[in-house]
Amino acid sequence: MADTLDHDAYADRTVGEIDRMAWLTDGVDPAAPVPTCPGWTMAKLLKHTGTVHRWVTEIITTQAAKRVDARSLNLRLPEKESDYAGWLTDGAPGLANALRIAGPDMTVWAWGAEQTSGWWARRMLHETTVHRADAEMASHVEPVIDAVVAADGIDEFLAILPSGNRPKQHLAELPAGKSLHLHATDGDGEWLIRFTGAGIEWERGHAKATTAIRGPLTLLLLFVYGRVPASDERLTVFGDEELPTVWREKTAL
């Protein structure tokens, strides 16, 4: 698969992530807890992910101009939670086909600033990838995320953060004037995130910051998503060691 991500690549890779998540969770106890999603079980994780896929499929196929109520969808959810992994897979072709047919430029409702089918294609890859990692960590499997996907996922997370329902209420609480630098040790990726007092500004590149975090791209992505703490032994922190904790509290999607 190519080392660049275009619209079709987002769709193709999303299908791959769905298949991987379903394979991993098939036969797993549906009541098993998912520590990275407090209060969730494996069944809830699968239901959430599959519901989001079907919701986005509806948005794209109907060219929705306003938010679709997910409760209005006929999810065809299996009676037995043990069948949720197969149900997750069943939703993949419809999502991928809807995205491919729409192309990247169709105007549709989205909760981000960009109201296009292309925005959703990118969102679905990273939504699914992170939840695949949730399932792996719950199963004591160390996640590995393609470096290109992980770097793009960090870009996307920072871009959508001000639009997220929860973080947009809390970004102004980040300590103004401080900053966070992320530095990948296994690929091309450095990010500088400045806290402005009203929100955040960010850019790719190297610069001094209040706190710097170095580590593999997979772990940097999981850090920004609040899945692993900066204190993880596989990450190295320089500077203010309290700032990453504040970041996780204020930026949770």
Side-chain angles (χ1 to χ4, degrees), residues 73-115:
L73 302 179
N74 181 2
L75 297 175
R76 296 182 174 85
L77 198 66
E79 290 186 8
K80 296 191 298 182
E81 292 182 339
S82 57
D83 292 332
Y84 281 9
W87 172 80
L88 178 72
T89 304
D90 290 343
L95 174 62
N97 289 339
L99 291 170
R100 292 187 189 110
I101 291 169
D105 300 320
M106 178 188 286
T107 300
V108 294
W109 175 88
W111 57 261
E114 183 185 339
Q115 304 282 294

Short mmCIF file of all heavy atoms in Angstrom, two decimals, residues 73-115:
data_model
loop_
_atom_site.label_atom_id
_atom_site.label_comp_id
_atom_site.label_asym_id
_atom_site.label_seq_id
_atom_site.Cartn_x
_atom_site.Cartn_y
_atom_site.Cartn_z
N LEU A 73 -31.43 4.93 13.06
CA LEU A 73 -30.91 3.93 12.14
C LEU A 73 -31.36 2.52 12.53
O LEU A 73 -31.49 2.20 13.71
CB LEU A 73 -29.38 3.98 12.13
CG LEU A 73 -28.73 5.31 11.76
CD1 LEU A 73 -27.21 5.16 11.83
CD2 LEU A 73 -29.16 5.77 10.38
N ASN A 74 -31.57 1.72 11.53
CA ASN A 74 -31.81 0.29 11.77
C ASN A 74 -30.45 -0.40 11.75
O ASN A 74 -29.91 -0.71 10.68
CB ASN A 74 -32.73 -0.29 10.69
CG ASN A 74 -33.02 -1.77 10.92
OD1 ASN A 74 -32.56 -2.37 11.90
ND2 ASN A 74 -33.76 -2.37 10.01
N LEU A 75 -29.89 -0.61 12.91
CA LEU A 75 -28.53 -1.14 13.02
C LEU A 75 -28.45 -2.63 12.73
O LEU A 75 -27.37 -3.15 12.47
CB LEU A 75 -27.97 -0.86 14.41
CG LEU A 75 -27.81 0.61 14.79
CD1 LEU A 75 -27.36 0.73 16.25
CD2 LEU A 75 -26.80 1.31 13.88
N ARG A 76 -29.57 -3.32 12.81
CA ARG A 76 -29.58 -4.79 12.65
C ARG A 76 -28.54 -5.44 13.58
O ARG A 76 -27.78 -6.33 13.18
CB ARG A 76 -29.32 -5.18 11.19
CG ARG A 76 -30.41 -4.70 10.24
CD ARG A 76 -30.14 -5.15 8.80
NE ARG A 76 -31.26 -4.81 7.92
CZ ARG A 76 -31.41 -3.63 7.33
NH1 ARG A 76 -30.50 -2.68 7.54
NH2 ARG A 76 -32.43 -3.39 6.54
N LEU A 77 -28.53 -4.97 14.80
CA LEU A 77 -27.58 -5.47 15.78
C LEU A 77 -27.94 -6.91 16.17
O LEU A 77 -29.11 -7.21 16.45
CB LEU A 77 -27.61 -4.57 17.02
CG LEU A 77 -26.45 -4.63 17.99
CD1 LEU A 77 -25.17 -4.11 17.34
CD2 LEU A 77 -26.77 -3.83 19.25
N PRO A 78 -26.97 -7.81 16.21
CA PRO A 78 -27.27 -9.19 16.60
C PRO A 78 -27.81 -9.27 18.03
O PRO A 78 -27.50 -8.44 18.88
CB PRO A 78 -25.90 -9.89 16.51
CG PRO A 78 -25.08 -9.02 15.63
CD PRO A 78 -25.55 -7.62 15.85
N GLU A 79 -28.62 -10.28 18.27
CA GLU A 79 -29.16 -10.48 19.61
C GLU A 79 -28.06 -10.85 20.60
O GLU A 79 -28.09 -10.43 21.75
CB GLU A 79 -30.23 -11.58 19.59
CG GLU A 79 -31.51 -11.18 18.86
CD GLU A 79 -32.58 -12.24 18.99
OE1 GLU A 79 -32.38 -13.21 19.77
OE2 GLU A 79 -33.62 -12.12 18.32
N LYS A 80 -27.08 -11.62 20.14
CA LYS A 80 -26.01 -12.06 21.02
C LYS A 80 -24.79 -11.15 20.87
O LYS A 80 -24.32 -10.93 19.75
CB LYS A 80 -25.62 -13.52 20.71
CG LYS A 80 -26.71 -14.53 20.97
CD LYS A 80 -26.19 -15.95 20.91
CE LYS A 80 -25.65 -16.26 19.52
NZ LYS A 80 -25.18 -17.68 19.43
N GLU A 81 -24.29 -10.65 21.98
CA GLU A 81 -23.11 -9.79 21.93
C GLU A 81 -21.89 -10.52 21.37
O GLU A 81 -21.00 -9.88 20.80
CB GLU A 81 -22.80 -9.25 23.34
CG GLU A 81 -23.85 -8.26 23.85
CD GLU A 81 -23.51 -7.70 25.21
OE1 GLU A 81 -22.70 -8.34 25.93
OE2 GLU A 81 -24.03 -6.62 25.56
N SER A 82 -21.88 -11.82 21.48
CA SER A 82 -20.75 -12.60 20.96
C SER A 82 -20.68 -12.55 19.43
O SER A 82 -19.67 -12.94 18.85
CB SER A 82 -20.85 -14.05 21.43
OG SER A 82 -22.09 -14.63 21.03
N ASP A 83 -21.75 -12.06 18.80
CA ASP A 83 -21.77 -11.95 17.34
C ASP A 83 -21.43 -10.54 16.86
O ASP A 83 -21.50 -10.25 15.65
CB ASP A 83 -23.16 -12.33 16.79
CG ASP A 83 -23.47 -13.80 16.97
OD1 ASP A 83 -22.53 -14.60 17.00
OD2 ASP A 83 -24.67 -14.15 17.08
N TYR A 84 -21.04 -9.66 17.77
CA TYR A 84 -20.79 -8.26 17.38
C TYR A 84 -19.57 -8.11 16.46
O TYR A 84 -19.54 -7.20 15.63
CB TYR A 84 -20.59 -7.39 18.63
CG TYR A 84 -21.85 -6.99 19.34
CD1 TYR A 84 -23.09 -7.53 19.00
CD2 TYR A 84 -21.82 -6.06 20.39
CE1 TYR A 84 -24.24 -7.17 19.67
CE2 TYR A 84 -22.98 -5.68 21.06
CZ TYR A 84 -24.18 -6.24 20.70
OH TYR A 84 -25.33 -5.86 21.36
N ALA A 85 -18.58 -8.97 16.59
CA ALA A 85 -17.39 -8.85 15.74
C ALA A 85 -17.77 -9.05 14.27
O ALA A 85 -17.33 -8.30 13.39
CB ALA A 85 -16.32 -9.84 16.16
N GLY A 86 -18.60 -10.06 14.00
CA GLY A 86 -19.05 -10.28 12.63
C GLY A 86 -19.90 -9.13 12.12
O GLY A 86 -19.82 -8.75 10.95
N TRP A 87 -20.74 -8.59 13.00
CA TRP A 87 -21.58 -7.43 12.65
C TRP A 87 -20.72 -6.23 12.30
O TRP A 87 -21.03 -5.48 11.37
CB TRP A 87 -22.51 -7.13 13.82
CG TRP A 87 -23.30 -5.87 13.70
CD1 TRP A 87 -24.44 -5.67 12.99
CD2 TRP A 87 -23.01 -4.62 14.35
NE1 TRP A 87 -24.89 -4.39 13.14
CE2 TRP A 87 -24.04 -3.71 13.98
CE3 TRP A 87 -22.01 -4.18 15.21
CZ2 TRP A 87 -24.06 -2.39 14.45
CZ3 TRP A 87 -22.02 -2.88 15.67
CH2 TRP A 87 -23.05 -1.99 15.29
N LEU A 88 -19.63 -6.04 13.03
CA LEU A 88 -18.72 -4.93 12.72
C LEU A 88 -18.19 -5.08 11.30
O LEU A 88 -18.20 -4.11 10.52
CB LEU A 88 -17.55 -4.93 13.72
CG LEU A 88 -16.48 -3.86 13.48
CD1 LEU A 88 -17.00 -2.48 13.83
CD2 LEU A 88 -15.22 -4.16 14.30
N THR A 89 -17.75 -6.27 10.93
CA THR A 89 -17.23 -6.53 9.59
C THR A 89 -18.29 -6.28 8.53
O THR A 89 -18.00 -5.77 7.44
CB THR A 89 -16.71 -7.98 9.49
OG1 THR A 89 -15.73 -8.19 10.50
CG2 THR A 89 -16.09 -8.24 8.14
N ASP A 90 -19.53 -6.65 8.83
CA ASP A 90 -20.61 -6.51 7.85
C ASP A 90 -20.83 -5.06 7.43
O ASP A 90 -21.34 -4.80 6.33
CB ASP A 90 -21.93 -7.06 8.42
CG ASP A 90 -21.93 -8.58 8.56
OD1 ASP A 90 -21.06 -9.22 7.94
OD2 ASP A 90 -22.77 -9.10 9.31
N GLY A 91 -20.45 -4.11 8.28
CA GLY A 91 -20.66 -2.71 7.96
C GLY A 91 -19.57 -2.11 7.10
O GLY A 91 -19.73 -0.99 6.56
N ALA A 92 -18.45 -2.82 6.94
CA ALA A 92 -17.30 -2.25 6.23
C ALA A 92 -17.56 -1.98 4.75
O ALA A 92 -17.23 -0.89 4.25
CB ALA A 92 -16.08 -3.16 6.40
N PRO A 93 -18.14 -2.92 3.99
CA PRO A 93 -18.33 -2.65 2.55
C PRO A 93 -19.22 -1.45 2.28
O PRO A 93 -18.91 -0.64 1.37
CB PRO A 93 -18.97 -3.95 2.04
CG PRO A 93 -18.57 -5.00 3.02
CD PRO A 93 -18.55 -4.30 4.34
N GLY A 94 -20.29 -1.29 3.04
CA GLY A 94 -21.18 -0.16 2.83
C GLY A 94 -20.49 1.16 3.07
O GLY A 94 -20.67 2.13 2.30
N LEU A 95 -19.70 1.23 4.13
CA LEU A 95 -18.97 2.46 4.44
C LEU A 95 -17.96 2.77 3.35
O LEU A 95 -17.90 3.90 2.83
CB LEU A 95 -18.27 2.33 5.79
CG LEU A 95 -17.35 3.49 6.19
CD1 LEU A 95 -18.14 4.78 6.32
CD2 LEU A 95 -16.62 3.16 7.50
N ALA A 96 -17.14 1.79 3.00
CA ALA A 96 -16.09 2.02 2.01
C ALA A 96 -16.69 2.39 0.65
O ALA A 96 -16.21 3.30 -0.03
CB ALA A 96 -15.21 0.78 1.88
N ASN A 97 -17.74 1.70 0.23
CA ASN A 97 -18.36 1.99 -1.06
C ASN A 97 -18.96 3.38 -1.08
O ASN A 97 -18.86 4.11 -2.08
CB ASN A 97 -19.42 0.95 -1.39
CG ASN A 97 -18.83 -0.40 -1.73
OD1 ASN A 97 -17.66 -0.50 -2.10
ND2 ASN A 97 -19.62 -1.46 -1.59
N ALA A 98 -19.61 3.77 0.03
CA ALA A 98 -20.21 5.10 0.09
C ALA A 98 -19.13 6.17 -0.05
O ALA A 98 -19.31 7.16 -0.78
CB ALA A 98 -20.96 5.27 1.41
N LEU A 99 -18.01 5.99 0.62
CA LEU A 99 -16.93 6.96 0.54
C LEU A 99 -16.32 7.01 -0.85
O LEU A 99 -16.05 8.10 -1.39
CB LEU A 99 -15.85 6.64 1.58
CG LEU A 99 -16.25 6.85 3.04
CD1 LEU A 99 -15.19 6.25 3.97
CD2 LEU A 99 -16.47 8.32 3.35
N ARG A 100 -16.11 5.85 -1.45
CA ARG A 100 -15.50 5.82 -2.79
C ARG A 100 -16.40 6.48 -3.83
O ARG A 100 -15.94 7.24 -4.69
CB ARG A 100 -15.19 4.38 -3.19
CG ARG A 100 -14.10 3.73 -2.36
CD ARG A 100 -13.74 2.36 -2.94
NE ARG A 100 -12.84 1.63 -2.05
CZ ARG A 100 -13.19 0.55 -1.36
NH1 ARG A 100 -14.44 0.07 -1.45
NH2 ARG A 100 -12.33 -0.07 -0.57
N ILE A 101 -17.70 6.18 -3.77
CA ILE A 101 -18.64 6.76 -4.73
C ILE A 101 -18.74 8.27 -4.54
O ILE A 101 -18.80 9.03 -5.52
CB ILE A 101 -20.02 6.10 -4.57
CG1 ILE A 101 -19.96 4.63 -5.04
CG2 ILE A 101 -21.09 6.86 -5.36
CD1 ILE A 101 -21.18 3.82 -4.68
N ALA A 102 -18.74 8.71 -3.30
CA ALA A 102 -18.86 10.15 -3.01
C ALA A 102 -17.64 10.93 -3.46
O ALA A 102 -17.75 12.08 -3.90
CB ALA A 102 -19.10 10.37 -1.52
N GLY A 103 -16.46 10.31 -3.38
CA GLY A 103 -15.25 11.05 -3.63
C GLY A 103 -14.97 12.00 -2.48
O GLY A 103 -15.75 12.08 -1.52
N PRO A 104 -13.88 12.75 -2.53
CA PRO A 104 -13.49 13.57 -1.37
C PRO A 104 -14.21 14.90 -1.23
O PRO A 104 -14.12 15.52 -0.18
CB PRO A 104 -11.99 13.80 -1.62
CG PRO A 104 -11.86 13.76 -3.11
CD PRO A 104 -12.85 12.74 -3.58
N ASP A 105 -14.92 15.34 -2.29
CA ASP A 105 -15.39 16.73 -2.30
C ASP A 105 -16.90 16.90 -2.16
O ASP A 105 -17.40 18.02 -2.26
CB ASP A 105 -14.93 17.41 -3.60
CG ASP A 105 -13.42 17.41 -3.74
OD1 ASP A 105 -12.74 17.64 -2.72
OD2 ASP A 105 -12.92 17.17 -4.86
N MET A 106 -17.62 15.82 -1.92
CA MET A 106 -19.06 15.96 -1.74
C MET A 106 -19.35 16.76 -0.47
O MET A 106 -18.76 16.51 0.58
CB MET A 106 -19.73 14.59 -1.64
CG MET A 106 -21.24 14.65 -1.39
SD MET A 106 -21.96 13.03 -1.05
CE MET A 106 -21.93 12.33 -2.70
N THR A 107 -20.28 17.70 -0.55
CA THR A 107 -20.66 18.49 0.62
C THR A 107 -21.67 17.72 1.45
O THR A 107 -22.74 17.33 0.95
CB THR A 107 -21.28 19.84 0.19
OG1 THR A 107 -20.31 20.57 -0.57
CG2 THR A 107 -21.69 20.66 1.40
N VAL A 108 -21.33 17.45 2.69
CA VAL A 108 -22.21 16.76 3.64
C VAL A 108 -21.99 17.36 5.02
O VAL A 108 -20.97 18.00 5.28
CB VAL A 108 -21.95 15.24 3.70
CG1 VAL A 108 -22.29 14.56 2.39
CG2 VAL A 108 -20.51 14.95 4.09
N TRP A 109 -22.94 17.11 5.90
CA TRP A 109 -22.76 17.57 7.28
C TRP A 109 -21.60 16.81 7.93
O TRP A 109 -21.40 15.61 7.72
CB TRP A 109 -24.03 17.32 8.10
CG TRP A 109 -23.83 17.68 9.55
CD1 TRP A 109 -24.01 18.90 10.12
CD2 TRP A 109 -23.36 16.80 10.59
NE1 TRP A 109 -23.68 18.85 11.45
CE2 TRP A 109 -23.28 17.58 11.78
CE3 TRP A 109 -23.00 15.46 10.64
CZ2 TRP A 109 -22.86 17.05 12.99
CZ3 TRP A 109 -22.57 14.93 11.86
CH2 TRP A 109 -22.51 15.72 13.01
N ALA A 110 -20.81 17.52 8.72
CA ALA A 110 -19.76 16.91 9.53
C ALA A 110 -19.59 17.75 10.78
O ALA A 110 -19.90 18.94 10.78
CB ALA A 110 -18.44 16.84 8.76
N TRP A 111 -19.12 17.14 11.84
CA TRP A 111 -18.97 17.91 13.08
C TRP A 111 -17.68 18.71 13.12
O TRP A 111 -17.46 19.51 14.02
CB TRP A 111 -19.09 17.03 14.32
CG TRP A 111 -18.16 15.88 14.48
CD1 TRP A 111 -18.41 14.57 14.19
CD2 TRP A 111 -16.83 15.91 15.03
NE1 TRP A 111 -17.31 13.79 14.50
CE2 TRP A 111 -16.33 14.59 15.04
CE3 TRP A 111 -16.01 16.94 15.53
CZ2 TRP A 111 -15.07 14.26 15.50
CZ3 TRP A 111 -14.74 16.61 15.99
CH2 TRP A 111 -14.28 15.29 15.97
N GLY A 112 -16.83 18.53 12.10
CA GLY A 112 -15.62 19.33 12.00
C GLY A 112 -15.83 20.58 11.17
O GLY A 112 -16.92 20.83 10.64
N ALA A 113 -14.77 21.32 11.01
CA ALA A 113 -14.86 22.57 10.25
C ALA A 113 -15.07 22.32 8.77
O ALA A 113 -15.68 23.13 8.07
CB ALA A 113 -13.59 23.39 10.48
N GLU A 114 -14.55 21.20 8.27
CA GLU A 114 -14.66 20.88 6.84
C GLU A 114 -15.88 20.01 6.60
O GLU A 114 -15.95 18.88 7.10
CB GLU A 114 -13.38 20.17 6.37
CG GLU A 114 -13.36 19.85 4.89
CD GLU A 114 -12.14 19.03 4.50
OE1 GLU A 114 -11.15 19.07 5.25
OE2 GLU A 114 -12.20 18.36 3.46
N GLN A 115 -16.84 20.48 5.86
CA GLN A 115 -18.10 19.77 5.65
C GLN A 115 -18.06 18.96 4.35
O GLN A 115 -18.75 19.26 3.38
CB GLN A 115 -19.25 20.77 5.61
CG GLN A 115 -19.34 21.67 6.83
CD GLN A 115 -19.97 20.97 8.03
OE1 GLN A 115 -21.13 20.61 8.02
NE2 GLN A 115 -19.16 20.77 9.07
#
